[in-house]
Amino acid sequence: MITYSAENVRMPAIRKRETTQWIRRVAQTYGKRVGEVGYLFCDDERILEVNREYLQHDYYTDIITFDYCEGDELNGDLVISLDTVRSNAEQFGKDYDEELHRVIIHGILHLCGLNDKGPGERELMEAAEDRALALR
């Protein structure tokens, strides 16, 4: 089950049923199935609190992924700052809706085992995001 909630922001105008189906399709391409995945859309201040409390990071970010996966079942909580998504879209000259969906699937790709911090991993993650967005 995939759930969507919002804190300190208005729920983004995403088509939940279609987005859920898309997430399931992407997970299947990695041989995974979706278990319990929860999205929390929030503002910059809330994601900064989460980043400080749980990761001891003192900076804003677009998404934080908490991975509770078991075997091939994806389970996790994904916290997304809509403020940062919007500023990133503006900074990179991207459409807000596309950037939001890129971040939504970015968390799922982390749950599927992809990383983006080590050498060459960022490029692999971006390519995976592009492939996933093409499945929408």
Side-chain angles (χ1 to χ4, degrees), residues 9 12 41 51 57 61-62 66 70 77 89 108 126 128 134:
V9 295
F41 299 101
N51 219 1
H57 296 162
T61 188
D62 52 0
F66 294 97
E70 298 176 7
D77 290 319
I108 295 298
E126 288 174 0

Side-chain angles (χ1 to χ4, degrees), residues 43-87:
D43 61 2
D44 271 351
E45 293 312 309
R46 181 65 181 121
I47 206 163
L48 181 60
E49 289 172 9
V50 171
N51 219 1
R52 286 175 176 160
E53 181 176 348
Y54 294 98
L55 303 176
Q56 291 71 53
H57 296 162
D58 192 25
Y59 54 82
Y60 299 104
T61 188
D62 52 0
I63 184 169
I64 297 173
T65 302
F66 294 97
D67 184 339
Y68 313 124
C69 294
E70 298 176 7
D72 67 349
E73 183 178 87
L74 302 184
N75 296 290
D77 290 319
L78 300 99
V79 183
I80 296 176
S81 170
L82 297 181
D83 293 337
T84 300
V85 169
R86 185 169 309 286
S87 62

